Amino acid sequence: MPVSGLGPYDEQNIFARILRGEIPCRKVFEDEFALAFHDIAPQAPVHVLVIPKGPFVSFADFSAQADTAMIAGFFRAVGTVARQLGLEVEGYRLLANMGKLSGQEVPHFHVHLFAGKPLGRMLVAPAAGE
Ligand code: AMP
């Protein structure tokens, strides 16, 4: 069973469909462990998503269930994407939402890679009422 409050893996989630080639994406990198593509609603000049090629609902699920080769291969792919995009000099931010309080929308583990401008504070204050 997946380890997170998000329930079992949904084979119809949008990133599963992208992995199966059912929905297009603007691909920036792919290897046996990971696929990276531009976010459809970018929040920075560079906003890329890196997803593992496996049925992992969240970081909690991935870190508990993925085998060692997948964990190493996935995180090496994240670094490769940043390097291939030429982001290492100016810097970048990695972010992974996990579960309800984080606002995770897509129940397939993914890392956001942001770059291309000063990224400000790590956490933006919640809007009034949140
Ligand atoms: P999260 O809130 O961490 O689950 O982030 C989900 C991200 O997926 C958001 O930044 C969305 O803009 C992005 N997203 C949703 N659908 C697509 C898609 N079809 N292609 C690329 N990015 C997407």
Side-chain angles (χ1 to χ4, degrees), residues 14-15 18 23 37-41 43 47 49 97 103-106 110 112:
I14 193 103
F15 293 171
I18 287 174
I23 291 178
F37 51 90
H38 292 283
D39 196 290
I40 204 166
Q43 297 185 41
H47 185 174
L49 302 170
N97 289 317
Q104 181 179 351
E105 291 174 1
V106 179
H110 51 282
H112 297 254

Side-chain angles (χ1 to χ4, degrees), residues 20-100:
R20 291 196 297 268
E22 296 169 6
I23 291 178
C25 69
R26 288 177 56 216
K27 183 164 74 175
V28 297
F29 175 86
E30 182 171 17
D31 68 8
E32 66 183 293
F33 300 107
L35 174 69
F37 51 90
H38 292 283
D39 196 290
I40 204 166
Q43 297 185 41
V46 177
H47 185 174
V48 166
L49 302 170
V50 190
I51 70 175
K53 288 186 172 178
F56 304 106
V57 171
S58 66
F59 176 74
D61 188 25
F62 181 77
S63 60
Q65 306 281 4
D67 66 25
T68 305
M70 170 55 92
I71 291 173
F74 174 76
F75 281 104
R76 204 175 289 282
V78 175
T80 300
V81 170
R83 191 164 56 252
Q84 288 188 354
L85 291 173
L87 305 178
E88 288 188 342
V89 172
E90 294 292 326
Y92 55 86
R93 176 172 296 155
L94 301 178
L95 183 151
N97 289 317
M98 154 52 212
K100 191 171 71 174

